[in-house]
Amino acid sequence: MIKSMKAENIDSPVLHSELFLRHRLQVVEELWETVLRQECGQEMVDLLRQLRNLCSPEGQATHHQAASAVELIEQLNINEAIRAARAFALYFQLINIIEQEYEQKQQLTRYAIQPEQKLFPSIIYTTNQREEDVLITKEVGSDLMTPETQQKGSFAALFPLLFQLNVPPQQIQRLISQLDIRLVFTAHPTEIVRHTIRDKQRQVVHLLQKMDDSISHAGSYPWETAEIKERLLEEIRLWWRTDELHQFKPTVLDEVDYALHYFQEVLFDGITQLYKRFKYSLEETFPWLQPPGTNFCSFGSWVGSDRDGNPSVTPEVTWKTACYQRKMVLDRYIKSVKELITLLSVSMQWSDVLPDLLESLELDQSQLSSVYDSLALRFRQEPYRLKLSYILKRLENTRDRNLALYNRETPQNEDAHKYRSGTEFLAELLLIQRNLRETGLSCRELENLICQVEIFDFNLTQLDIRQESSRHADAINEILEYLQLLPQSYHELSEEQRIAWLTAELQTRRPLIPAELPFSEKTNDVIQTFRILRSLQQEFGINICQTYIISMCREVSDVLEVLLLAKESTLFDPVLAVGTIRVVPLFETVEDLQRSRSVMRQLFELPLYRAMLAGGYAAINNTEAQTNPSIATLSPNLQEVMLGYSDSNKDSGFLSSNWEIHKAQKSLQKIAESYGVNLRIFHGRGGSVGRGGGPAYEAILAQPGNSISGRIKITEQGEVLASKYSLLDLALYHLETITTAVIQASLLGTGFDDIEPWNEIMEELAHASRQHYRNLIYEQPDFIDFFHQVTPIEEISQLQISSRPARRPSGKKDLSSLRAIPWVFSWTQTRFLLPSWYGIGTALQKFLDEEPEQHLKLLRYFYLKWPFFKMVISKAEMTLAKVDMEMARHYVNELSNPEDKTRFENVFEQISREFFLTRDLVLKITGHEKLLDGDPILQRSVQLRNGTIVPLGFIQVSLLKRLRQSKNAPTTGVIHSRYSKGELLRGALLTINGIAAGMRNTG
């Protein structure tokens, strides 16, 4: 199936790379067909070939060939259809692996020909999950040491660029010193691939790498390569016999385990390399500047703490999550210390030991006499080994206590010496490091451990609490009705009355909530969440959890309600205006984004809130702060605001959503600056373009003006975690590109965001796009029925991929209750991908109609010069390339009820017209002849998959049609299907799995 290339010019690096790709594809296809032949017979192989050959050369469905495909598929029984679906899904997963290897080879080749960069040969680039991380540059020129030709997104390119542009070193130093990048892992239901399958994929990658080594090694034997190929065949057969579908609905703690898997396998050991890359690259260009702290890039998590719409996330689950995280990190530290005991065998007979280390050993002897008694003779002349043995014992005591806390048992031996925090552990490691250095020694393993402790502490990640705003209002309303403190219901108060009452109540010391909770289960849950947050901070320190996010935040009272509930759990002291919790409003819909300016301005005007941000009244008055041992302080004058991409997109469309978020960032930054507050924007990005996804590097560079200033926080969700963090090199490349983009965006603003006529044009485009989008989604009377019939939305909701429901708890099957993830997931499966582009074409055409030639020139200029506009068009182009309107038409024709076909055809034609209009205008603006001509790697990747996604789509439609017919069949009387609903549902879900793998995206 893979065409061969001529062998001429085989020494060319580009040709060699292409030959590698083609050879790998050929190897994998042969293995794939061999497995299918062994497991299913030659007839199945012939069927799959026949189905794939029905597509156009570009891999798109065609009207004439659809009929042939349908006729062929309708003849399949359920078992044959399921096998075909599984075969195509397996093919996609194998192709993903091969492309990943191909891009690794390309990247390694680029670094191999740059001698100065051989220090970091593991930097790679992958097309895996291309919507999340697309390479920005396409060529590497001959002058490899110039900033323009270095790999964009790398430290090696960034610092020479800053030097060439004469950016003041003191400005670079100031930014580096405050660098604060946080990636927040979430458990949003978009990870469709089982972790069992991920393990199989990792094993295949390992075997392919071994095959490369065997082929390239001069001393290897042919039988060794043949044996590896046989092992590959065995592994793929085992994979074939492994169920792709999740066997049960995961619990929240299952999701915690899934998320921590990436730390266990990749990040914990690999993150230290990111700091080294930064440090050494900085020294190459600016040797006199100081590198950032080792924890300039850190991690947060919502897994086990995000309770928005997920009743399974209870206070007890959050407690167990924190204990589980600490267990993992302590186990790793214990392992590292044991290795250091073996390594640091320095003898006092041959090396000096400083007095401070000897003094610490005397103290350790008095506190941990059992360790001294058992090891003093053995390590009599080896002080570092003895010191590390004391450290090991304290770590083990800490681990044992943590296990008891996880099980809610009373810890045994509370008097045993242990570490109360990672800071105490770090201090002992630094003592050893200082002694080694002052005696002329160093230890890389110790340096790595110190770096890990500085990044992960004893907590691994910071947990963010998130809850929906109405839950707090409902809780306060019930509390006040129980206490009869107001003459009317809290819900009946106006916003001004709420603010006045909340502000007054926040300044009292009188308890509002009784110790025993006589309230409803929902209200008790809200109160207990704040109480467990306080318990977490007392046990783990405030770094474990200091952020409370309010989803669907609309008013000032939404923030003050959370602050009042925090006060009731002693997380906020009203007398000192000092707290250990940072309240973060999340503005999600377009209306909320527009309202965010006034909300934040009103908050900054409140003396109590402003004092809390500053670090208390004492900090504002420049007086010596009163000491309160029960209250620690947060970073002063830092306000975090979260912006939601998913709901704003579902609400108003892609173009309008991105523009409203862009405007909100500009406004919020100006407001914060006017009050002397530092702003950190938290971007709630999803995996797909329709939920804020896309190239991270490009997206950060497109942020407006001064809205970053070295600080950014970004969610990493679902299948994005697997695509970015499954392999060390992938993770490091991703983190490096994010860091370079943050620095570049902070120091090299373009100024184009402040050109008012451009903003006015963008406002017009966004308004027109939003209007056209809403005309279809919310005002077209047939659209809701169309969506539910022609997409697999109901079947997707039955996938066992998340502990969180697909809908918000309103009980309605409407768009307002449907979460953004299944919304995008459904459109991706049917090849419409509507949320990522609908409305753009009409908006652009309306603008072009005014002055066709001049406005087209202007839009092309925007695309070349304005990072925001280029990001929008590039994301739209990426998505449009994956759309297959003929395939989408097939879903409409086959899945529509007979009585609805006429009206649904009108909806489809409306969507189809907008697609072709948008596609044509995007091509005009970019100057490309075909979509993705500017990114041939992605273009080839999309075409490679399309030919197999199309027949899988035909199979999905066939199974969905049979499934829905069986559901509508009468429960008594004649049996209308020879297959059970369970069999048909399983087949449909398997096709969903397969298409998600082929599209590399769910929601």
Side-chain angles (χ1 to χ4, degrees), residues 55-208:
C55 301
S56 69
E58 293 77 24
Q60 298 282 308
T62 64
H63 181 68
H64 297 296
Q65 292 160 337
S68 300
V70 171
E71 182 181 352
L72 190 61
I73 289 167
E74 289 296 332
Q75 296 173 5
L76 302 179
N77 62 41
I78 186 65
N79 291 328
E80 291 169 333
I82 286 177
R83 287 186 174 190
R86 294 188 70 227
F88 285 136
L90 176 60
Y91 175 81
F92 290 135
Q93 300 284 9
L94 292 171
I95 292 301
N96 288 344
I97 291 171
I98 294 308
E99 282 201 323
Q100 175 178 302
E101 276 236 296
Y102 167 67
E103 297 301 343
Q104 286 188 48
K105 293 288 183 183
Q106 277 202 323
Q107 193 72 13
L108 289 170
T109 300
R110 284 171 177 161
Y111 276 90
I113 59 177
Q114 300 182 48
E116 285 77 6
Q117 294 193 28
K118 284 185 180 177
L119 182 62
F120 307 122
S122 59
I123 299 178
I124 65 166
Y125 172 67
T126 178
T127 57
N128 190 28
Q129 191 57 39
R130 281 301 299 266
E131 285 200 17
E132 280 61 58
D133 227 335
V134 176
L135 185 60
I136 305 304
T137 54
K138 305 298 184 294
E139 301 282 348
V140 176
S142 57
D143 184 7
L144 295 169
M145 294 313 297
T146 64
E148 292 86 352
T149 55
Q150 293 278 10
Q151 183 71 51
K152 282 189 180 180
S154 69
F155 297 135
L158 172 68
F159 296 118
L161 176 64
L162 298 179
F163 183 85
Q164 186 184 61
L165 295 176
N166 294 316
V167 178
Q170 62 269 26
Q171 191 176 345
I172 299 172
Q173 183 68 76
R174 185 163 55 248
L175 180 75
I176 288 175
S177 299
Q178 68 183 34
L179 202 57
D180 179 15
I181 298 166
R182 186 166 304 164
L183 291 310
V184 181
F185 287 19
T186 79
H188 282 354
T190 59
E191 172 58 293
I192 198 169
V193 179
R194 289 182 65 197
H195 280 259
T196 300
I197 300 297
R198 292 286 183 206
D199 292 337
K200 301 289 183 192
Q201 294 171 350
R202 193 173 289 106
Q203 181 63 14
V204 169
V205 170
H206 173 68
L207 290 171
L208 285 170

Side-chain angles (χ1 to χ4, degrees), residues 758-820:
W758 290 19
N759 289 331
E760 290 172 2
I761 291 170
M762 202 65 232
E763 187 71 29
E764 291 177 17
L765 291 172
H767 177 75
S769 175
R770 182 187 187 200
Q771 188 175 46
H772 192 67
Y773 175 88
R774 291 188 65 86
N775 282 344
L776 172 70
I777 308 300
Y778 294 98
E779 297 176 23
Q780 160 62 261
D782 299 323
F783 181 79
I784 297 297
D785 292 340
F786 176 90
F787 172 66
H788 281 96
Q789 282 190 42
V790 306
T791 76
I793 176 60
E794 297 307 321
E795 290 77 18
I796 284 171
S797 66
Q798 297 182 63
L799 283 167
Q800 305 288 344
I801 61 175
S802 174
S803 65
R804 191 171 80 158
R807 293 184 180 273
R808 292 189 172 91
S810 68
K812 299 178 182 178
K813 285 195 173 183
D814 57 10
L815 290 186
S816 62
S817 67
L818 182 68
R819 294 192 177 277

